[in-house]
Amino acid sequence: MKFFVDTADTADIKALAESGLLDGVTTNPSLIAKSGRKILDVVAEICAMVPGPVSAEVAATDYDGMMREAAVLQKIADNVCVKLPLTPDGLRACKTLTGDGVMTNVTLCFSAAQALIAAKAGATFVSPFVGRLDDLGQDGMELIADIVQIYDNYPALTTEVLVASVRHPIHVVQAAKLGAHVATLPPNVLRMLYSHPLTDKGLAAFLKDWAATGQTIA
Ligand code: E4P
């Protein structure tokens, strides 16, 4: 499973990229707004730090506007992945961009039917939002299971399932068990994947015992 980080905070991305475990980055208009920076500057900086796909979202809602914005975003770097909303115009733009060899991420997916149509439009990634469904009292993971099953039924569909709106490590584990290709995680959730209190406790005990030996490894 690939791990993307869902942020436009370049300090966070730099630190996580140094771990060597980061496969890509996703941003959205809200995350760009939170960064307080210009989209072209921040996406360029991210693309230089992370070689994998970096999703940058169009703000236009009509086909022509999306295509104009996509052309600007594509010029930033080869690893820009143009993020498009799951609307008729977004899917039309997805189809055109895919035909031109551009990476695409179709976002704001909340149903299996939407995921199927995004795959037919040739999306590189589809982003189902599990946390926002959970917030409504629905089960976001059921959607992931449905999409994975549907895509598996049709090997010609090459779209990767990019689990988005992830809120905690259990989402990541469940998505991995279902065979989702990618999870995009807020930085805090990515860091939580490392954590277990027994790891901390065990390490402290090992270090204490080691110090008592007076040895060094050299
Ligand atoms: C995905 O690409 C989105 O940017 C993101 O995962 C949305 O997450 P949220 O529901 O926490 O805003």
Side-chain angles (χ1 to χ4, degrees):
M1 179 183 233
K2 285 176 271 192
F3 288 158
F4 291 1
V5 66
D6 194 32
T7 184
D9 182 325
T10 51
D12 258 339
I13 294 168
K14 183 171 184 293
L16 291 164
E18 282 167 0
S19 73
L21 302 177
L22 198 56
D23 301 301
V25 178
T26 52
T27 67
N28 63 35
S30 303
L31 294 169
I32 297 290
K34 193 172 164 195
S35 78
R37 299 180 57 192
K38 301 266 188 212
I39 183 168
L40 300 189
D41 295 342
V42 73
V43 171
E45 193 177 330
I46 296 169
C47 286
M49 284 191 286
V50 178
V54 175
S55 289
E57 190 161 342
V58 298
T61 55
D62 64 296
Y63 173 80
D64 290 334
M66 288 179 188
M67 291 304 295
R68 270 194 303 277
E69 292 182 357
V72 175
L73 295 171
Q74 275 170 256
K75 274 194 213 130
I76 299 174
D78 288 345
N79 55 331
V80 165
C81 176
V82 177
K83 203 171 180 188
L84 302 151
L86 209 157
T87 61
D89 285 63
L91 293 181
R92 184 180 160 204
C94 175
K95 181 91 183 156
T96 305
L97 291 167
T98 298
D100 293 343
V102 177
M103 274 192 292
T104 51
N105 176 357
V106 172
T107 189
L108 292 167
C109 174
F110 293 95
S111 78
Q114 288 181 313
L116 182 55
I117 198 94
K120 280 193 72 76
T124 314
F125 302 103
V126 67
S127 291
F129 280 33
V130 292
R132 293 192 195 187
L133 283 170
D134 290 355
D135 291 345
L136 292 183
Q138 297 181 31
D139 185 349
M141 275 306 142
E142 273 182 20
L143 174 59
I144 302 304
D146 286 348
I147 299 171
V148 169
Q149 183 188 350
I150 289 168
Y151 285 8
D152 280 352
N153 286 344
Y154 299 97
L157 299 178
T158 55
T159 302
E160 295 195 8
V161 181
L162 195 172
V163 181
S165 190
V166 165
R167 300 282 160 77
H168 45 68
I170 294 170
H171 273 151
V172 184
V173 172
Q174 288 175 327
K177 285 167 85 172
L178 291 168
H181 307 87
V182 193
T184 188
L185 319 178
N188 67 316
V189 176
L190 197 39
R191 292 194 178 97
M192 283 165 76
L193 297 186
Y194 291 90
S195 302
H196 197 286
L198 290 180
T199 303
D200 298 339
K201 191 178 166 194
L203 182 59
F206 286 156
L207 293 178
K208 184 167 174 265
D209 291 344
W210 179 252
T213 71
Q215 296 184 54
T216 54
I217 300 174

